[in-house]
Amino acid sequence: MKFLVTWRVHDEARHEALKAFSEMSADDQQAALGSVKLIGRWHDLVGFTGVAICEADDSAAVANWLLNWNTIIDIEVTPVFDDEETRAIGRARN
């Protein structure tokens, strides 16, 4: 399953969030992700918001990853489908 993750850093935690994220190594990131595959992540540094697309076998793995950040950011997670998955869902409804 693919998930769209959007976030907004709490105003009072902007510097803390940027410092924590910028000090993460590739190994730290992989350990935090666990079984979640990060497809891509983009940051709006002026607004301290962002978006990511990730993939996981279950939503619990995504929740476990994102709980690492929930004290300093507000997070929304939405299941999303690529074109082929959407077409397959549409065909199955006919």
Side-chain angles (χ1 to χ4, degrees), residues 25-52:
S25 69
D27 289 341
D28 294 336
Q29 177 173 291
Q30 189 53 54
L33 284 166
S35 63
V36 176
K37 176 185 175 191
L38 182 61
I39 296 171
R41 177 170 41 204
W42 299 267
H43 307 264
D44 169 7
L45 290 177
V46 174
F48 275 81
T49 63
V51 61

Side-chain angles (χ1 to χ4, degrees), residues 7-85:
W7 67 86
R8 184 179 193 294
V9 178
H10 301 164
D11 289 343
E12 69 278 1
R14 288 180 168 194
H15 293 286
E16 176 187 354
L18 184 58
K19 183 178 186 317
F21 183 78
S22 63
E23 291 177 350
M24 290 180 71
S25 69
D27 289 341
D28 294 336
Q29 177 173 291
Q30 189 53 54
L33 284 166
S35 63
V36 176
K37 176 185 175 191
L38 182 61
I39 296 171
R41 177 170 41 204
W42 299 267
H43 307 264
D44 169 7
L45 290 177
V46 174
F48 275 81
T49 63
V51 61
I53 302 291
C54 64
E55 190 168 17
D57 291 335
D58 65 272
S59 57
V62 176
N64 189 51
W65 165 48
L66 296 173
L67 282 170
N68 292 313
W69 295 97
N70 75 331
T71 60
I72 58 176
I73 64 177
D74 293 324
I75 306 165
E76 292 187 24
V77 180
T78 306
V80 293
F81 305 93
D82 64 26
D83 289 351
E84 279 305 309
E85 291 165 332

